[in-house]
Amino acid sequence: MEEQLFFKKLNSLDTSKEIFDFISSQEAMSDIMASGALQRISEVEVGDNGLKNPDGVLKNEVFRALCFQFECESSKLSNIGLLNALQALIKLRIDPQSTLIASLLSEGKERLHKGQLTVKNLCALGESLLELEGPNCVQLEQILNQIQEKDIENWSPWEMAMVYKMLQKTFSKGEQYQDLLNRLNSVTLNTVSQLSPKFTSIILNSLVVLHQTQAVPLVTALCKHSVKHIPCFTVNELVNVLEAFLYFGHCEEIFTEALETHTPKSVFTMHPETASKIMQYCCQKMILSKPIMDAAAEGFITGANRFTTDQIAWYIIPFGTLNYQPPSAPSLFRKLENILHCHFSHFQPHTLINLLHSCVLIQRFPVNFLPKIFSSYFLQQLQAQPPGLDRTVTSQLTQLFLTVTLECPFYEGPKLLSKYQVKSFLKPHTSLDVHLLKRVKTGLLYLLKKRTYFASDVSTPYFYTVDIEIKLDEEGFVLPAAHCEEVQRRIALCVDGQNRFCVNSHNLLGEEAIKQRHLQLLGYEVVQIPFFEIESLQNCSQMAQYLHKKIFPHICGLGC
């Protein structure tokens, strides 16, 4: 009862001075009470940048007396008093080489060796060892070996999180503790609803590092649980959660909705790493979230100078990938151009290519920087750094060159040498929907009567592949696909399945949008056949009628 009253009063105090006055008024304290006082001091005095008032704490007579007593009587302390004091003193940035820390740590290791510590004690010691000696500490393996023999059914969320953290730090020995990890994953699943933001983030981060791709139910539960904590996560915690979503390929609509609520409110004060990770999440999940992207654009305009070059790239690339220009696009890309003018040499070559390529997808043409990009010096830099001039990079370079050729006729700078150009573009996100293509081809056959009147998967001399090509003569008659003479019009049918659009959207992805734009500039009549227009068509007759209206809107009957 005395300890309960002590801690109730202690936890109501908000400054170290109040805590020291309170301690001075006590006639006697147990070691648990004294270590609790040290922990409370660390809670109120330690901020993001260390101790708020170092002299007021470290030089205080009451504090020094407590430290002296812990150092001299370490062997007489209870396990809880010993390990709580050690944790608090580490948090207060006491010199790790001091005799105080050495005495407490030595005593903790001695009790570990004798097998005198409970699971809670083992977790506390493990956390302290990670802080002081890092993941290579030899005692971590000893701690995990003892933990592995314990019953884990009644562990607290803190104990679970600490064991995950230790397993993460000893990742190289992962197979040795896989049985413990499997048991831990199973038990944690039943306690997800009790996890704080901190523990949710720690466990998700550990599951990523430990490659626990088989723990799908736990990952799913943690991802859903994280939604309610979004406003409460610290910078690092939210980054860990986003990385888990990306690593496990998880996509939770309510999580995105929560980000859409949180981001506009906090974008101007949000840490650059968090903001860029949110944009990376949207980009990799192909989620066109206008609330997030509009807010991100405003945040970049006002705070871009705080970003690293990699963060800038992750911030801007999604606009191109998702084919979206926010209302503040002119200011956004003017800001980007100013940054590139001032810090061009600070960007890694491959980062620059990704960044500038994303800009041309949405008709933001980096003509002032292309002379540098197409220079032999820059291309040599690209080649010298992994992944070098692989197919993806040369495709991006070729598309940059084609863009300025077609859309920037005023560009008079260096050209991209043919040896750096590809014969056809890679299309990782916009590959054909085979089922959809088959339906369209069946409808065309019904309409045109002969398979020879259209060709599919047609390579062009301009790097693009056309899904379906139809050739017309001067009078508008359909020509056989193999016919090369008398061709007056070429129709390119773009059969756009769901994978060519942003998720749950009718907005084309940037790489498909630029393809259709360029095909038009190259003389094709582009006819888009989006999945959402034909998914309700029931038979070949309906498909043929639809295609007739789309391809030949002004012709009542077809001559072939």
Side-chain angles (χ1 to χ4, degrees):
M1 181 63 70
E2 183 182 347
E3 281 191 358
Q4 289 178 5
L5 292 173
F6 174 87
F7 280 109
K8 183 177 180 180
K9 174 65 176 177
L10 180 65
N11 291 329
S12 70
L13 305 177
D14 296 321
T15 67
S16 56
K17 183 179 184 307
E18 291 175 339
I19 296 169
F20 289 135
D21 289 344
F22 175 58
I23 294 172
S24 300
S25 69
Q26 302 298 304
E27 291 185 6
M29 288 190 299
S30 67
D31 65 334
I32 294 176
M33 293 160 71
S35 65
L38 289 177
Q39 286 193 312
R40 184 59 185 162
I41 292 167
S42 71
E43 289 169 4
V44 300
E45 285 295 338
V46 177
D48 293 337
N49 299 315
L51 278 174
K52 300 173 186 175
N53 179 21
D55 288 345
V57 174
L58 303 182
K59 294 183 179 180
N60 183 278
E61 290 183 4
V62 176
F63 178 78
R64 292 166 71 90
L66 278 175
C67 291
F68 180 76
Q69 192 167 359
F70 274 109
E71 181 179 345
C72 294
E73 301 183 5
S74 60
S75 62
K76 301 177 182 178
L77 300 173
S78 66
N79 288 340
I80 294 176
L82 171 72
L83 297 168
N84 283 356
L86 181 59
Q87 286 181 304
L89 293 167
I90 291 170
K91 192 174 179 182
L92 287 165
R93 311 291 199 274
I94 301 301
D95 182 3
Q97 305 301 320
S98 66
T99 54
L100 170 61
I101 295 293
S103 176
L104 295 177
L105 192 58
S106 175
E107 182 63 29
K109 290 179 178 180
E110 179 68 20
R111 297 184 191 189
L112 169 66
H113 181 67
K114 292 178 178 178
Q116 297 175 344
L117 303 180
T118 65
V119 170
K120 186 175 182 179
N121 301 153
L122 291 167
C123 290
L125 180 59
E127 187 176 35
S128 296
L129 287 169
L130 283 172
E131 285 289 331
L132 292 172
E133 301 181 12
N136 295 322
C137 172
V138 294
Q139 279 79 25
L140 278 181
E141 188 172 346
Q142 193 176 353
I143 289 172
L144 286 171
N145 287 338
Q146 290 189 25
I147 285 175
Q148 197 163 219
E149 297 171 1
K150 307 287 186 181
D151 179 12
I152 68 174
E153 295 297 326
N154 297 315
W155 284 5
S156 69
W158 175 78
E159 289 165 343
M160 291 178 180
M162 287 307 102
V163 174
Y164 271 114
K165 196 171 180 180
M166 285 188 282
L167 287 168
Q168 174 185 338
K169 298 298 183 181
T170 57
F171 172 62
S172 61
K173 303 180 185 296
E175 291 185 6
Q176 181 179 341
Y177 301 111
Q178 189 58 52
D179 179 61
L180 170 61
L181 196 49
N182 291 340
R183 289 162 54 211
L184 191 56
N185 290 344
S186 178
V187 173
T188 304
L189 180 60
N190 298 322
T191 59
V192 166
S193 61
Q194 303 171 33
L195 297 177
S196 67
K198 179 180 178 181
F199 297 155
T200 302
S201 174
I202 287 173
I203 294 173
L204 275 172
N205 181 238
S206 297
L207 292 172
V208 169
V209 174
L210 294 165
H211 304 316
Q212 294 297 289
T213 51
Q214 82 286 353
V216 175
L218 176 58
V219 171
T220 302
L222 286 167
C223 287
K224 288 182 177 179
H225 179 65
S226 67
V227 172
K228 69 178 184 180
H229 290 317
I230 283 179
C232 307
F233 283 126
T234 65
V235 171
N236 291 333
E237 288 167 0
L238 183 53
V239 167
N240 285 343
V241 172
L242 288 164
E243 285 179 342
F245 270 84
L246 294 171
Y247 178 80
F248 291 110
H250 195 76
C251 192
E252 196 71 47
E253 190 173 346
I254 56 173
F255 182 80
T256 305
E257 290 171 357
L259 286 178
E260 288 178 337
T261 301
H262 174 67
T263 305
K265 293 177 183 176
S266 56
V267 71
F268 294 106
T269 56
M270 189 178 287
H271 192 279
E273 180 65 16
T274 308
S276 61
K277 192 63 70 174
I278 290 173
M279 291 295 282
Q280 184 182 354
Y281 167 80
C282 290
C283 187
Q284 290 193 212
K285 299 296 182 183
M286 300 299 169
I287 298 169
L288 175 56
S289 169
K290 293 182 180 180
I292 290 175
M293 298 185 78
D294 290 349
E298 294 292 342
F300 185 83
I301 292 165
T302 59
N305 295 334
R306 300 184 298 129
F307 288 68
T308 66
T309 54
D310 285 342
Q311 288 167 351
I312 289 170
W314 272 119
Y315 219 88
I316 299 298
I317 287 171
F319 290 102
T321 302
L322 303 176
N323 187 29
Y324 179 67
Q325 297 203 48
S328 59
S331 299
L332 172 68
F333 287 96
R334 190 161 51 246
K335 184 71 174 181
L336 175 62
E337 186 168 9
N338 290 338
I339 290 171
L340 288 173
H341 272 302
C342 297
H343 305 292
F344 186 90
S345 62
H346 295 172
F347 285 81
Q348 290 295 313
H350 287 91
T351 302
L352 269 174
I353 291 296
N354 290 330
L355 180 58
L356 298 182
H357 178 258
S358 72
C359 292
V360 301
L361 297 180
I362 47 176
Q363 296 179 281
R364 293 287 167 175
F365 309 118
V367 288
N368 293 329
F369 307 103
L370 290 181
K372 293 182 179 179
I373 296 296
F374 295 152
S375 70
S376 58
Y377 172 73
F378 184 83
L379 293 171
Q380 287 169 7
Q381 283 187 305
L382 272 177
Q383 195 158 16
Q385 297 180 11
L389 286 169
D390 65 5
R391 183 76 187 278
T392 300
V393 175
T394 49
S395 289
Q396 290 175 319
L397 286 168
T398 306
Q399 199 160 42
L400 279 168
F401 175 60
L402 182 61
T403 298
V404 292
T405 303
L406 295 175
E407 302 188 67
C408 307
F410 52 86
Y411 175 74
E412 297 179 350
K415 310 298 183 185
L416 181 67
L417 296 177
S418 58
K419 68 178 182 178
Y420 296 113
Q421 298 178 23
V422 294
K423 293 182 179 180
S424 62
F425 290 130
L426 288 173
K427 300 178 288 297
H429 299 299
T430 59
S431 55
L432 272 175
D433 182 327
V434 177
H435 176 69
L436 196 66
L437 180 66
K438 185 177 180 180
R439 289 190 64 201
V440 173
K441 287 163 70 173
T442 303
L444 274 177
L445 183 60
Y446 189 95
L447 176 66
L448 301 177
K449 310 306 181 189
K450 290 184 179 180
R451 178 64 180 84
T452 56
Y453 285 121
F454 62 91
S456 58
D457 202 26
V458 179
S459 296
T460 71
Y462 314 108
F463 315 106
Y464 291 109
T465 300
V466 175
D467 298 337
I468 296 176
E469 183 184 60
I470 298 173
K471 299 174 181 177
L472 305 180
D473 67 11
E474 179 170 38
E475 297 178 4
F477 286 90
V478 180
L479 296 169
H483 211 79
C484 296
E485 298 176 356
E486 301 176 358
V487 178
Q488 293 297 312
R489 296 165 59 194
R490 293 176 186 267
I491 298 175
L493 268 62
C494 295
V495 184
D496 296 331
Q498 290 188 24
N499 55 348
R500 291 184 177 178
F501 294 86
C502 300
V503 172
N504 300 325
S505 167
H506 294 173
N507 193 74
L508 272 178
L509 293 171
E511 56 191 5
E512 185 61 26
I514 194 174
K515 171 187 169 180
Q516 296 184 17
R517 192 169 77 238
H518 283 179
L519 286 175
Q520 284 184 317
L521 292 170
L522 290 164
Y524 283 89
E525 295 178 32
V526 175
V527 177
Q528 188 185 9
I529 311 293
F531 74 95
F532 50 84
E533 288 184 1
I534 62 177
E535 56 189 357
S536 62
L537 301 180
Q538 300 296 318
N539 51 50
C540 286
S541 176
Q542 290 182 3
M543 178 67 80
Q545 289 178 26
Y546 165 82
L547 292 171
H548 187 179
K549 291 177 182 177
K550 286 286 286 193
I551 304 170
F552 310 103
H554 306 301
I555 301 175
C556 295
L558 285 175
C560 298

